Amino acid sequence: MAYEIEEIAKTLQSARVIKGLSQRALSERAGVPQAHISKIERGTVDLRLSSLIALARVLDLEVALVPRSAVPAVQSIVRSSSGPTRSARSTPAVIKELQRLHQTLAGIDQVTNGPKELLQFQRQLRELQHLPLAHEHLAALKNANSALEAFKKQQSGTEDIRRALSNLQTLRNSIAHQSDSWAANTTLRPAYTLDDEVGNG
Amino acid sequence: MAYEIEEIAKTLQSARVIKGLSQRALSERAGVPQAHISKIERGTVDLRLSSLIALARVLDLEVALVPRSAVPAVQSIVRSSSGPTRSARSTPAVIKELQRLHQTLAGIDQVTNGPKELLQFQRQLRELQHLPLAHEHLAALKNANSALEAFKKQQSGTEDIRRALSNLQTLRNSIAHQSDSWAANTTLRPAYTLDDEVGNG
DNA sequence: ATGCTCGATGCATTAATATATATCAAAAAT
DNA sequence: ATTTTTGATATATATTAATGCATCGAGCAT
């Protein structure tokens, strides 16, 4: 298979993984069979443009034809625009943990009517999903998760939730501070749809 | 056919026309049958990625997947980078006239050993091909062309050539002055391959 | 008027994608 | 330890891009 095709295939796969979607989940949304997605990502097929567009759509990507002379500039734009999304947060473990957090939160039915800490927790989590989390932050996320689960099983009260929440806030602040150029973009960037239906193909 | 595909098709066609290539010429270079190129440009086929890449290659384009959030920035980059190439010079008549000039020049066999004005003429023409020529400049080009042909038929001497050359120089200067931002790029931008084999499919 | 190039179209054939469905081993979650 | 999920793979079929070739009318030039 041609080099360029594999390049695009890699981009597709990377985007899918970052979005926390399984091949099957992507399959449903894009209307492309999972088997075919597998072949595409492996670069074993010369896919049609419609397939590429269908997949790109779901992955918030756009198929573009850019002049060769503009490629470097475009690359730098793309890098700076989706850099944190791509590089810093590409650690699979971190992504997984974020999903886990989201799911345990979804498993608590008193989020809306329960203590307000839970809602704040939810909001905090949503913000974190947009931040360039590195692998070093994994532990903090795990702690928050176990705190949440402890509360879910009623093994602890709202105090622990509040403490975990505070931890997440400090985490958020420490990260948001180190990259201001990124912070400017954060309002424009479409939020990940990590919220709905994560990783269940 | 999907909207996005037609969009890409339009881009391909536009790039081809601007480069002064016929479908048949593009066909030879890209290894794609002319009939198929026709269908592609009309948006009546769901082309494969390999076809798209093959065509884009010849047209100095790159197939890219850009994040939706970065699309506006990328568009502005592309516009400013290939703006003159795209907008100002897209007048078909101007392109035709440039090709005509080039061909009449090629029809003169004493370019290399003849009067030095011819060589300068050639060089000047080459520079003009990289400039954002508008429709208003058409007359000047036609004048230059007729002057060249008159010399070819030995109906005039080198004086007329020199005068036409001078006209082209002033034309060049007047254009180059009004856009400095563009002038900076002009060294980096790959020259059009209008030089070799123009419009003979 | 003649000839040439252009893009579009038709047709037959080939080759490959796309799809539906099912299965498998490995990783992950319970 | 058991169940679920995930990605890769297999088979069979339908759809269609891709190719080669021929042709057509329109525009342009000689």
Side-chain angles (χ1 to χ4, degrees):
Chain A
M1 196 60 50
Y3 166 74
E4 274 231 50
I5 293 188
E6 300 205 13
E7 194 75 12
I8 290 180
K10 289 271 182 195
T11 305
L12 284 177
Q13 184 179 38
S14 162
R16 176 181 64 81
V17 171
I18 286 178
K19 268 199 145 37
L21 291 176
S22 69
Q23 289 184 349
R24 282 185 171 84
L26 177 59
S27 168
E28 287 179 10
R29 303 188 179 197
V32 176
Q34 177 266 329
H36 197 224
I37 293 181
S38 172
K39 282 190 272 184
I40 289 175
E41 288 187 353
R42 302 217 75 189
T44 63
V45 287
D46 181 7
L47 73 164
R48 298 206 176 120
L49 194 48
S50 62
S51 301
L52 177 60
I53 291 176
L55 294 178
R57 235 183 112 69
V58 178
L59 299 174
D60 283 323
L61 295 175
E62 192 87 13
V63 184
L65 284 176
V66 316
R68 270 218 188 309
S69 62
V71 166
V74 168
Q75 280 179 338
S76 90
I77 285 285
V78 169
R79 250 183 268 289
S80 70
S81 162
S82 69
T85 303
R86 273 285 270 278
S87 58
R89 229 198 90 196
S90 58
T91 316
V94 173
I95 299 175
K96 285 263 174 171
E97 199 60 31
L98 276 175
Q99 296 177 0
R100 221 182 307 255
L101 259 168
H102 188 273
Q103 280 192 343
T104 48
L105 195 61
I108 304 179
D109 43 1
Q110 33 173 313
V111 177
T112 49
N113 48 11
K116 64 178 192 296
E117 279 81 5
L118 282 180
L119 271 178
Q120 291 178 334
F121 204 108
Q122 198 171 38
R123 219 171 294 135
Q124 193 65 244
L125 178 58
R126 217 178 291 271
E127 275 199 56
L128 278 176
Q129 287 175 346
H130 301 186
L131 284 176
L133 293 177
H135 188 268
E136 28 176 328
H137 307 126
L138 189 65
L141 295 180
K142 286 195 175 182
N143 285 342
N145 201 5
S146 49
L148 206 58
E149 287 188 328
F151 173 79
K152 180 181 175 183
K153 298 173 185 172
Q154 299 188 339
Q155 295 173 354
S156 69
T158 56
E159 316 85 60
D160 290 327
I161 289 294
R162 201 173 306 136
R163 198 176 307 126
L165 181 59
S166 156
N167 287 340
L168 286 188
Q169 281 176 341
T170 45
L171 173 66
R172 191 203 90 88
N173 289 336
S174 72
I175 298 172
H177 264 283
Q178 47 186 246
S179 58
D180 281 352
S181 64
W182 163 86
N185 286 342
T186 203
T187 55
L188 297 178
R189 178 160 348 123
Y192 309 151
T193 37
L194 219 154
D195 312 52
D196 49 338
E197 190 193 15
V198 282
N200 55 344
Chain B
M1 196 59 51
Y3 166 75
E4 273 233 52
I5 293 189
E6 300 206 13
E7 195 75 12
I8 291 180
K10 289 272 182 195
T11 305
L12 284 177
Q13 185 179 36
S14 162
R16 176 181 64 80
V17 171
I18 287 179
K19 268 199 144 39
L21 291 176
S22 69
Q23 287 184 349
R24 284 186 169 85
L26 177 59
S27 167
E28 286 178 10
R29 303 187 180 198
V32 176
Q34 177 266 330
H36 197 224
I37 293 181
S38 172
K39 282 191 270 184
I40 289 175
E41 288 187 353
R42 303 217 53 177
T44 64
V45 287
D46 181 8
L47 73 165
R48 299 210 176 116
L49 193 48
S50 61
S51 301
L52 178 59
I53 291 176
L55 295 178
R57 240 182 111 72
V58 178
L59 299 174
D60 284 324
L61 295 175
E62 192 86 14
V63 184
L65 284 176
V66 318
R68 266 216 186 328
S69 62
V71 166
V74 167
Q75 279 178 338
S76 89
I77 286 287
V78 169
R79 250 182 268 288
S80 69
S81 161
S82 68
T85 303
R86 271 285 269 278
S87 59
R89 229 198 90 196
S90 57
T91 315
V94 173
I95 299 176
K96 283 261 174 168
E97 199 60 30
L98 275 175
Q99 295 176 1
R100 222 182 307 256
L101 259 168
H102 189 271
Q103 280 191 344
T104 48
L105 195 61
I108 305 178
D109 43 0
Q110 31 172 317
V111 178
T112 49
N113 48 10
K116 65 177 192 296
E117 277 82 3
L118 282 179
L119 271 177
Q120 291 177 336
F121 204 109
Q122 198 172 38
R123 220 171 291 134
Q124 193 64 248
L125 179 58
R126 217 178 288 272
E127 274 198 58
L128 278 177
Q129 288 174 347
H130 301 188
L131 282 176
L133 292 178
H135 187 268
E136 27 176 330
H137 306 126
L138 187 64
L141 295 180
K142 285 194 174 181
N143 286 342
N145 200 5
S146 50
L148 206 58
E149 287 188 327
F151 174 80
K152 180 180 174 184
K153 298 173 185 171
Q154 299 188 341
Q155 295 172 354
S156 70
T158 56
E159 316 85 59
D160 289 326
I161 290 294
R162 204 175 303 137
R163 197 177 306 128
L165 181 59
S166 157
N167 286 340
L168 286 187
Q169 282 176 340
T170 43
L171 175 65
R172 192 205 89 88
N173 288 337
S174 71
I175 298 173
H177 263 283
Q178 46 186 248
S179 59
D180 281 352
S181 64
W182 163 85
N185 286 343
T186 203
T187 54
L188 296 177
R189 178 162 347 125
Y192 309 150
T193 37
L194 220 155
D195 311 53
D196 51 336
E197 188 193 13
V198 282
N200 56 345

